[in-house]
Amino acid sequence: MSLALSAERPFSRGGNRLCFVHPEHPNRCIKVRRPEFTLEDYRRKKGFPKSLLPLSVFDDNAEEFRVLRDFQQNYSDSIFDHISRGYGMIETDLGLGICSELILDHSGEISMSLMLYLWNFGYTDECKRAVEVLKKHWMDHLVPSRSILLHNIVVEKRLEGGAESINRLVVIDGLGATGIAALPFLPRRARRYLVGRKVKNLDERIDEFFESIKSGKYPGPNGLPMKDGVPDIPAPR
């Protein structure tokens, strides 16, 4: 029996998928492919020669499932200190989805993306410290990933001394290496170099974000909370 999601409202969306709160587990989310953007569309968008690859190569849910299973089987459990846990695949009336940990603040609200946090509060000293912790975690565990995008990081907040503070940053998408970094038995030194490039790129993306918002406009809908079925883009500054 498939899980009914079609009557539910997604709380967010990425480039290829919609995100729903699991109807039976409020601390889990289900990601399903956006119905208006098929695997065929995704493959076509990539252009030649990637357009010659089989459709399975472009299935984000299958790839995320494979990567999270690898983390669970071959890495220390502490890797999930800054990565959302996976709970497997699940049949829904919107197609096969992947179930994973939903990151919530102390209030029970869904944690906002790092991109939205930076827009709302700027790059505070507290946030800088949290980013450094995340970068160290990536290097300590040599986490295989693609580029670490700001809308794929969420900011989990806690209540401390009557005030909100950042508890941790959690990466919720973009996991799993590609290209040379995905080769089996890659020497540890090479892995450190490649992971280090991703970490350095995170700093560059934060700088680019602040450059991009000088126009006063929020750069893109991905990772934003949704309102009435569409991304709730913040008002211009």
Side-chain angles (χ1 to χ4, degrees):
M1 181 176 178
S2 67
L3 194 67
L5 291 181
S6 56
E8 305 289 334
R9 286 289 182 93
F11 68 83
S12 187
R13 82 172 199 198
N16 306 320
R17 296 182 288 180
L18 296 173
C19 304
F20 294 85
V21 176
H22 194 304
E24 299 170 3
H25 300 280
N27 60 347
R28 298 183 183 184
C29 74
I30 301 172
K31 301 175 189 175
V32 297
R33 175 156 293 280
R34 288 166 55 183
E36 77 279 13
F37 194 55
T38 66
L39 287 177
E40 289 85 354
D41 294 332
Y42 189 24
R43 180 171 64 179
R44 193 177 306 112
K45 179 182 175 183
K46 290 296 182 179
F48 183 83
K50 289 186 177 180
S51 58
L52 301 177
L53 296 172
L55 286 177
S56 58
V57 173
F58 303 96
D59 188 335
D60 293 332
N61 280 343
E63 172 65 9
E64 185 172 328
F65 173 75
R66 183 192 66 77
V67 171
L68 292 177
R69 183 178 58 185
D70 177 56
F71 288 173
Q72 290 166 343
Q73 293 176 348
N74 300 309
Y75 287 75
S76 164
D77 189 66
S78 60
I79 196 172
F80 293 109
D81 289 350
H82 294 276
I83 292 173
S84 57
R85 292 179 181 272
Y87 299 109
M89 304 295 281
I90 188 167
E91 290 281 356
T92 83
D93 60 355
L94 296 178
L96 193 63
I98 185 167
C99 184
S100 60
E101 179 184 9
L102 180 61
I103 309 303
L104 304 171
D105 293 341
H106 66 92
S107 62
E109 295 292 317
I110 297 171
S111 300
M112 71 174 67
S113 72
L114 177 58
M115 183 180 282
L116 185 57
Y117 181 96
L118 293 173
W119 171 271
N120 287 336
F121 305 109
Y123 202 12
T124 63
D125 289 341
E126 179 186 32
C127 188
K128 289 176 182 176
R129 289 191 294 270
V131 168
E132 290 303 314
V133 170
L134 177 64
K135 288 160 56 179
K136 183 177 185 301
H137 179 84
W138 234 243
M139 294 303 300
D140 287 347
H141 291 79
L142 294 182
V143 180
S145 69
R146 289 162 274 166
S147 294
I148 310 170
L149 304 180
L150 303 186
H151 66 262
N152 286 339
I153 306 170
V154 296
V155 183
E156 181 188 82
K157 289 180 285 185
R158 64 187 173 190
L159 196 63
E160 189 173 25
E164 278 193 339
S165 62
I166 296 175
N167 184 42
R168 60 174 180 155
L169 302 183
V170 184
V171 177
I172 59 171
D173 201 355
L175 301 164
T178 59
I180 294 174
L183 293 175
F185 312 116
L186 195 67
R188 182 176 177 83
R189 184 174 179 180
R191 289 171 59 203
R192 284 194 62 82
Y193 170 74
L194 293 169
V195 172
R197 285 176 57 184
K198 301 298 184 186
V199 166
K200 183 175 184 295
N201 185 248
L202 175 57
D203 289 326
E204 294 169 354
R205 287 185 180 277
I206 292 173
D207 291 339
E208 290 169 1
F209 172 74
F210 285 111
E211 281 296 317
S212 71
I213 64 173
K214 286 183 177 179
S215 65
K217 295 181 180 179
Y218 192 86
N222 291 344
L224 285 171
M226 297 184 76
K227 183 178 181 180
D228 297 327
V230 297
D232 188 16
I233 298 176
R237 289 171 179 261

